[in-house]
Amino acid sequence: MEKILIADDERDILTFMEDALTDEGYAVLTASGGEEVFALLKEQPDLILLDVMMPGLDGWEVCRSIRPLVTCPILFLSARGSETDRIQGLMVGGDDYLVKPFSIRELKARVQAHLRRERRSETRASRSILHFGELMLDLDAYQLHYRNRSIPLTAREFEIVQLLMMHPNQVLSRDRIYEKVWGLEAEGDSATVTEHIKKIRSKLAEADPHTEYIATVWGVGYKMGAGAS
């Protein structure tokens, strides 16, 4: 269930938005002033609705303070709808600006649109990262990490690890690995796969001497399958 944090000092509007978004299936957190927002950040909201004109800390100040702490969308709510105000909202770290009075349909549509965008971003990010045990392979950065330690790999070694991690616990023959990594037109043979596997194992063992990440299935090939070495 996605969490939405609403901060507004007008109780009627706060209750109105809380009821409407709860009916949509969201978990709603409410704050009646800017200072209360900070305590609710520990709940890790997926989206924040932030009124601009609040006593004490106003929406601008709250957004400036929390933007380094959260990555979720922040939508401003305000009766001040001038171009200057809307630009100000974007400049201090907001992602959208709703001018009061707004319809509940527009509120729901804006919330849904921003949350959909966040889901797409998370999906893209998850596709660029592969995990196996304590190993993390960053496909965009072309790096392999064990916990917080980077393990240097050559381009071929990286591609072999990527292929194995994309097929966890599935045995891949030397011929298939060679075909996928070197290509059908490569001049050589699958014996080179064995040498590359040895080098990869050596680097993995240096980072984690207690785990054998690449297992040999004799007469068949290799698989990514962690076990005690």
Side-chain angles (χ1 to χ4, degrees):
M1 183 181 293
E2 289 162 310
K3 297 178 184 177
I4 298 176
L5 168 57
I6 310 173
D8 198 308
D9 65 311
E10 296 184 63
R11 172 52 58 182
D12 290 345
I13 294 178
L14 189 63
T15 302
F16 171 68
M17 291 189 290
E18 180 183 10
D19 290 344
L21 294 173
T22 299
D23 288 344
E24 291 295 305
Y26 301 115
V28 179
L29 312 166
T30 60
S32 57
E35 291 83 356
E36 295 177 29
V37 171
F38 297 94
L40 292 172
L41 292 183
K42 67 179 184 297
E43 302 294 334
Q44 298 181 322
D46 297 290
L47 183 142
I48 298 173
L49 295 169
L50 194 58
D51 184 37
V52 173
M53 300 302 294
M54 292 186 290
L57 287 178
D58 64 22
W60 305 140
E61 296 174 281
V62 173
C63 186
R64 285 193 193 96
S65 299
I66 68 174
R67 180 40 89 196
L69 307 175
V70 298
T71 60
C72 70
I74 298 176
L75 283 65
F76 282 112
L77 313 171
S78 179
R80 295 164 50 175
S82 71
E83 180 183 35
T84 300
D85 289 319
R86 294 196 302 271
I87 291 173
Q88 172 75 357
L90 298 175
M91 293 297 291
V92 299
D95 298 281
D96 205 346
Y97 197 102
L98 280 79
V99 179
K100 296 178 180 179
F102 47 80
S103 71
I104 199 62
R105 289 180 61 193
E106 181 182 12
L107 174 66
K108 291 178 180 179
R110 298 283 187 101
V111 167
Q112 289 167 2
H114 283 281
L115 291 176
R116 278 199 306 269
R117 187 176 297 116
E118 289 299 296
R119 291 186 212 112
R120 289 196 297 268
S121 297
E122 290 172 4
T123 299
R124 286 194 294 269
S126 67
R127 288 174 179 169
S128 67
I129 301 290
L130 298 177
H131 293 273
F132 191 88
E134 298 283 357
L135 299 178
M136 182 191 79
L137 194 70
D138 188 330
L139 304 183
D140 291 334
Y142 224 69
Q143 292 181 338
L144 176 66
H145 297 273
Y146 170 75
R147 295 182 179 173
N148 294 322
R149 174 179 176 178
S150 179
I151 301 175
L153 298 176
T154 66
R156 296 294 192 200
E157 291 167 355
F158 184 92
E159 290 169 15
I160 290 172
V161 172
Q162 178 182 344
L163 181 62
L164 292 172
M165 288 182 71
M166 289 176 68
H167 301 83
N169 296 307
Q170 179 180 338
V171 181
L172 302 180
S173 68
R174 290 195 314 177
D175 288 339
R176 183 177 179 188
I177 295 172
Y178 186 79
E179 176 185 320
K180 291 291 186 181
V181 174
W182 276 264
L184 290 171
E185 305 301 321
E187 295 182 1
D189 60 61
S190 60
T192 190
V193 172
T194 302
E195 296 304 313
H196 280 75
I197 292 288
K198 287 180 181 177
K199 292 176 182 178
I200 295 168
R201 279 175 168 160
S202 177
K203 293 176 180 181
L204 293 175
E206 186 177 344
D208 180 9
H210 305 295
T211 306
E212 183 181 56
Y213 285 99
I214 302 177
T216 299
V217 180
W218 296 107
V220 184
Y222 304 98
K223 69 173 182 176
M224 209 74 186
S229 61

